Amino acid sequence: MEIEKKPLVEFLLKAKNATYAAQGDEASVPPLLEGYRQLEYVEGDYFYRDVYVGMAYFAGQETIYFHGQPIWSMTYGGGTLKELSLDEVKDTYAFLRQAMRRVAEDHPYRGPHTFSAGVYQYFDVNEGDMERFSGKEKILRQGTEIYSLQYCGGLIC
């Protein structure tokens, strides 16, 4: 099946902004896997599913389906330092969602290359394209790294 990249990227950007980055619970559905969190978004012939497990440290997978067939996927894993309190973890993830709402069309995997707000700084370094990519993001608080995540993915053949 030939995949048109522009509509795929446009859909992915909408799906990301409507699910985890949205900070709401509207996209949550009962998870297929016990103990996981599952977020979904549908538009036209596209369907997006993000499943993840954990909180301070977590792992997950995003998948896009077109006409019911999986066509793109990304796996990710990472989290905050063990020393952070629950409130610090929540604050870090609130900042992460701000960064993820600024995801760019030329690298629509996580957040922008850089973003700052208050005492937090977000950085994302990646290589590849929608067909095959990998990257790493991190968050610093007052210059000290408190969160990191690695991800990879691409088109499913």
Side-chain angles (χ1 to χ4, degrees), residues 65-78:
Y65 300 79
F66 183 69
H67 290 289
Q69 297 297 314
I71 59 168
W72 182 91
S73 188
M74 178 179 76
T75 59
Y76 57 87

Side-chain angles (χ1 to χ4, degrees), residues 84-137:
L84 297 184
S85 70
L86 182 58
D87 285 341
E88 290 173 312
V89 170
K90 289 179 180 179
D91 290 345
T92 301
Y93 290 155
F95 170 74
L96 175 62
R97 285 189 295 275
Q98 288 180 39
M100 290 182 67
R101 286 193 297 274
R102 289 158 175 82
V103 64
E105 193 171 310
D106 63 335
H107 55 275
Y109 320 120
R110 297 289 296 171
H113 289 301
T114 61
F115 172 70
S116 297
V119 298
Y120 295 98
Q121 293 178 293
Y122 171 92
F123 299 93
D124 179 78
V125 177
N126 57 68
E127 59 185 28
D129 59 24
M130 284 294 284
E131 290 185 32
R132 185 174 290 174
F133 61 89
S134 63
K136 182 175 182 179
E137 68 181 10

Side-chain angles (χ1 to χ4, degrees), residues 1-150:
M1 172 185 344
E2 184 68 29
I3 304 299
E4 292 184 49
K5 290 183 191 164
K6 185 169 176 55
L8 174 63
V9 169
E10 290 172 355
F11 173 76
L12 179 59
L13 294 173
K14 289 178 186 176
K16 285 181 174 287
N17 278 307
T19 55
Y20 181 78
Q23 294 188 8
D25 211 26
E26 295 80 27
S28 292
V29 298
L32 296 172
L33 301 169
E34 190 173 329
Y36 277 70
R37 180 103 190 265
Q38 185 166 319
L39 308 171
E40 295 181 353
Y41 179 79
V42 177
E43 183 177 283
D45 295 325
Y46 289 96
F47 172 71
Y48 168 90
R49 177 179 288 139
D50 181 7
V51 293
Y52 64 94
V53 63
M55 184 178 167
Y57 191 85
F58 58 90
Q61 180 176 16
E62 297 176 27
T63 305
I64 294 177
Y65 300 79
F66 183 69
H67 290 289
Q69 297 297 314
I71 59 168
W72 182 91
S73 188
M74 178 179 76
T75 59
Y76 57 87
T80 59
L81 296 175
K82 290 181 183 179
E83 301 84 43
L84 297 184
S85 70
L86 182 58
D87 285 341
E88 290 173 312
V89 170
K90 289 179 180 179
D91 290 345
T92 301
Y93 290 155
F95 170 74
L96 175 62
R97 285 189 295 275
Q98 288 180 39
M100 290 182 67
R101 286 193 297 274
R102 289 158 175 82
V103 64
E105 193 171 310
D106 63 335
H107 55 275
Y109 320 120
R110 297 289 296 171
H113 289 301
T114 61
F115 172 70
S116 297
V119 298
Y120 295 98
Q121 293 178 293
Y122 171 92
F123 299 93
D124 179 78
V125 177
N126 57 68
E127 59 185 28
D129 59 24
M130 284 294 284
E131 290 185 32
R132 185 174 290 174
F133 61 89
S134 63
K136 182 175 182 179
E137 68 181 10
K138 65 182 176 178
I139 294 174
L140 283 71
R141 183 180 63 200
Q142 297 177 322
T144 300
E145 186 173 320
I146 59 169
Y147 162 93
S148 67
L149 174 132
Q150 293 183 323

